[in-house]
DNA sequence: GGTCACCCTCTTAATTTGGC
DNA sequence: GCCAAATTAAGAGGGTGACC
């Protein structure tokens, strides 16, 4: 790690008749008092002429930077930002912003006065605990990953002598997960939503509930994605946080690009909706004829009011996707691979069970299911 | 109604770990 | 050495509040 210094020089401040030194260190300009008083300008000029070659050394002394020691040349804060910026290529814009925010808000203040030699495994462990007291499991883990990556890179760059992240205390550390907090709409609620909603909300709910689309996928639907004669549509893009991204350009762990065949009643609904369409291009548009850019708009001004009207408690828009998958996985007749194909999970993914096998049946439905199980069981007994 | 910024949480594929 | 579970790393959804 090189120390970059330039333009070191002395100058006099006439108001206090004190000699100051200025210069640039690692791209940052500094002006510091040498605390040397002079009685006249002429005297100051003579002193400066004699000592000017030492200006940068003087400045480094005042700043407390040892130019012979690599370890003090880059601060933890500067190095952290450099690391996050240098590795930004593998993240999307929003993730990168989030990482920078976590570093700025949670990590930098805690290690504010640290030099590299102050880091050890116990301090780091203590930091993990400190974070967990304020944040969820998820955010704590994210914060931990960020600081670990920075410290490991600092070790690779020989800024710190020991690889703290690989030490026992750190390797053994893990957070206790929060209880999952995910809900789905119950079958009776789903039925109500499909039957009692009106206008474009009916189409929105139909597509969300019967095909498990994500909010961003719904907002990005265009009429050209649908082939109503052949009965299918394609998910060609996603809209998140104000940005429209075509599926082919998405380098993501969410599989957007896929083709979905529709039930006959959905085709019928879409055909009649097309006659009253608000835009020739987009399926769902705000009042100015443009697609919704933020799911929050739909949630607050359209989705929540619709639910209130039909008497269904709000459980987020995404809960419609959960409901779809949960209902479908209740049926043994439907191959899980088929469900995964429709919702865009990877084939064989355990996610389908882990996050979506939620309890969405009422007692009568459960009793019915048990009855079906009983039939199969007894049929097998009869063969034996 | 609508966007946007900020912050936090949930979802998901890929990779690593560890138990047998 | 295999396979399932745990971890990692990232994308996306959601709540709040300011502003237009």
């Amino acid at each position: 790690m090189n120390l970059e210094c330039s333009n070191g020089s002395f100058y006099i401040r006439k108001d206090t008749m004190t000699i100051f030194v200025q210069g640039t260190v690692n791209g940052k300009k500094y002006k510091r008092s040498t605390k040397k008083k002079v009685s006249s300008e002429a005297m100051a000029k003579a002193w400066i002429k004699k000592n000017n070659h030492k200006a940068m050394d003087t400045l480094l002394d005042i700043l407390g930077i040892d130019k012979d020691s690599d370890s003090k040349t880059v601060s933890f804060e500067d190095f952290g930002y450099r690391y996050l910026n240098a590795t930004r290529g593998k993240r999307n814009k929003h993730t990168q912003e989030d990482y920078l925010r976590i570093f700025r808000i949670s990590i930098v203040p805690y290690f504010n006065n640290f030099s590299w030699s102050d880091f050890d495994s116990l301090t780091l462990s203590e930091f993990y605990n400190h974070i967990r007291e304020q944040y969820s499991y998820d955010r704590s883990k994210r914060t931990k990953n960020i600081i670990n990556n920075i410290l490991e890179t600092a070790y690779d760059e020989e800024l710190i002598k020991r690889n703290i992240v690989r030490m026992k205390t750190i390797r053994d550390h893990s957070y206790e997960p929060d209880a999952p907090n995910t809900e789905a709409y119950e079958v009776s609620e789903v039925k109500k939503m499909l039957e009692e909603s009106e206008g474009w909300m009916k189409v929105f709910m139909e597509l969300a509930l019967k095909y498990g689309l994500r909010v961003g996928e719904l907002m990005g639907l265009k009429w050209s994605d649908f082939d109503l004669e052949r009965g299918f549509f394609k998910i060609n893009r996603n809209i998140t946080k104000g940005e429209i991204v075509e599926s082919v350009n998405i380098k993501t762990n969410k599989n957007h690009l896929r083709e979905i065949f529709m039930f006959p009643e959905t085709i019928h609904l879409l055909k009649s909706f097309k006659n009253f369409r608000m835009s020739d291009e987009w399926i769902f548009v705000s009042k100015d004829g443009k697609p919704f850019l933020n799911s929050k708009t739909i949630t607050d001004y359209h989705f929540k009011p619709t639910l209130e009207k039909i008497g269904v408690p709000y459980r987020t828009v995404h809960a419609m996707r959960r409901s779809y998958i949960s209902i479908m996985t209740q049926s043994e007749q439907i191959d899980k691979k088929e469900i995964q194909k429709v919702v865009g999970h990877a084939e064989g993914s355990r996610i389908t069970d882990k996050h979506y096998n939620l309890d969405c049946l009422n007692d009568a439905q459960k009793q019915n299911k048990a009855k079906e199980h009983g039939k199969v069981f007894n049929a097998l007994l009869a063969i034996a």
Side-chain angles (χ1 to χ4, degrees):
Chain A
M1 195 55 59
N2 293 322
L3 181 62
E4 286 176 15
C5 316
S6 60
N7 303 326
S9 62
F10 290 110
Y11 67 101
I12 179 168
R13 268 184 67 165
K14 289 175 190 166
D15 52 348
T16 55
M17 291 306 277
T18 307
I19 292 178
F20 272 65
V21 61
Q22 62 184 348
T24 307
V25 179
N26 288 334
K28 191 174 173 189
K29 287 181 182 168
Y30 293 95
K31 288 181 172 180
R32 293 288 186 276
S33 168
T34 66
K35 296 193 166 59
K36 181 173 175 55
K37 296 272 185 189
V38 286
S39 52
S40 70
E41 248 186 277
M43 195 180 152
K45 274 183 187 165
W47 188 92
I48 289 170
K49 197 175 175 186
K50 190 179 162 196
N51 293 290
N52 218 22
H53 65 282
K54 296 195 291 196
M56 184 48 77
D57 286 351
T58 309
L59 178 62
L60 292 175
D61 274 349
I62 294 168
L63 293 172
I65 297 172
D66 183 352
K67 65 175 176 173
D68 297 326
S69 162
D70 283 350
S71 62
K72 288 183 182 173
T73 56
V74 182
S75 70
F76 169 71
E77 181 176 0
D78 288 347
F79 186 78
Y81 282 122
R82 276 185 62 198
Y83 168 80
L84 290 171
N85 284 323
T87 54
R88 70 182 182 279
K90 54 186 180 181
R91 291 169 214 119
N92 97 346
K93 203 180 117 203
H94 305 295
T95 308
Q96 175 70 3
E97 284 169 3
D98 199 34
Y99 277 32
L100 289 171
R101 189 158 47 233
I102 289 172
F103 185 64
R104 176 168 52 82
I105 292 168
S106 300
I107 300 177
V108 169
Y110 192 90
F111 297 105
N112 199 13
N113 297 314
F114 271 57
S115 63
W116 290 109
S117 55
D118 296 334
F119 283 96
D120 62 35
S121 61
L122 297 179
T123 312
L124 192 57
S125 254
E126 196 44 56
F127 173 69
Y128 294 162
N129 297 336
H130 164 76
I131 288 297
R132 189 66 178 93
E133 281 159 16
Q134 309 172 47
Y135 293 111
S136 72
Y137 171 66
D138 180 90
R139 196 130 194 97
S140 301
K141 265 201 321 183
R142 200 171 273 221
T143 309
K144 178 178 163 181
N145 291 344
I146 293 170
I147 189 163
N148 284 4
N149 285 332
I150 291 172
L151 289 178
E152 272 212 282
T153 310
Y155 170 74
D156 290 343
E157 294 288 342
E158 298 182 350
L159 290 167
I160 38 179
K161 292 195 172 64
R162 302 171 306 160
N163 192 351
I164 298 162
V165 177
R166 292 284 141 196
M167 289 180 181
K168 180 171 170 50
T169 321
I170 302 303
R171 274 187 287 119
D172 289 352
H173 179 274
S174 66
Y175 288 123
E176 195 66 34
D178 296 329
N181 184 27
T182 51
E183 282 186 296
Y185 294 98
E186 289 165 18
V187 173
S188 59
E189 292 169 343
V190 168
K191 193 162 178 276
K192 235 176 169 180
M193 288 157 82
L194 291 170
E195 285 172 1
E196 295 178 30
S197 57
E198 288 171 349
W200 68 266
M201 251 299 126
K202 192 180 191 73
V203 181
F204 186 82
M205 288 183 172
E206 171 98 7
L207 292 175
L209 287 166
K210 291 191 178 172
Y211 308 95
L213 268 63
R214 301 179 176 100
V215 179
E217 293 171 343
L218 285 162
M219 297 196 300
L221 287 175
K222 289 183 178 182
W223 285 108
S224 58
D225 300 329
F226 285 78
D227 187 330
L228 294 179
E229 295 316 309
R230 290 173 59 205
F232 70 92
F233 65 100
K234 264 185 175 176
I235 296 181
N236 282 325
R237 68 198 67 70
N238 186 56
I239 302 181
T240 317
K241 294 177 165 51
E243 277 176 292
I244 305 170
V245 187
E246 295 295 319
S247 298
V248 286
N249 297 328
I250 297 176
K251 39 172 188 179
T252 170
N253 64 1
K254 304 279 193 284
N255 176 13
H256 291 292
L257 186 60
R258 58 191 193 272
E259 210 173 75
I260 298 172
F261 275 82
M262 294 177 283
F263 307 151
E265 72 267 21
T266 309
I267 300 172
H268 180 73
L269 177 68
L270 277 163
K271 278 183 177 169
S272 55
F273 179 58
K274 204 170 180 182
N275 295 328
F276 302 99
R277 66 182 176 275
M278 296 164 282
S279 157
D280 284 336
E281 188 180 6
W282 302 92
I283 305 284
F284 304 112
V285 289
S286 63
K287 61 176 181 183
D288 58 3
K290 290 179 189 158
F292 290 98
L293 295 177
N294 292 284
S295 60
K296 179 177 169 23
T297 307
I298 293 182
T299 307
D300 283 358
Y301 300 104
H302 305 282
F303 187 66
K304 278 182 185 170
T306 302
L307 290 185
E308 201 168 324
K309 205 166 148 189
I310 61 179
V312 171
Y314 170 69
R315 308 183 207 278
T316 77
V317 174
H318 198 86
M320 289 196 285
R321 177 175 166 85
R322 290 195 203 107
S323 304
Y324 166 80
I325 301 175
S326 300
I327 291 169
M328 292 304 264
T329 49
Q330 297 295 325
S331 165
E332 279 93 5
Q333 281 107 48
I334 297 170
D335 187 356
K336 197 163 285 169
K337 277 186 199 162
E338 288 303 313
I339 301 173
Q340 292 176 329
K341 216 184 269 178
V342 172
V343 298
H345 285 172
E347 195 176 308
S349 169
R350 284 169 297 111
I351 298 302
T352 316
D353 278 333
K354 189 178 168 191
H355 285 290
Y356 291 100
N357 202 357
L358 300 166
D359 190 6
C360 56
L361 302 183
N362 63 27
D363 283 354
Q365 287 156 336
K366 283 177 191 165
Q367 285 157 7
N368 214 9
K369 208 173 154 190
K371 217 184 278 173
E372 290 300 316
H373 283 183
K375 270 189 208 162
V376 174
F377 187 81
N378 290 326
L380 286 170
L381 283 188
I383 298 167

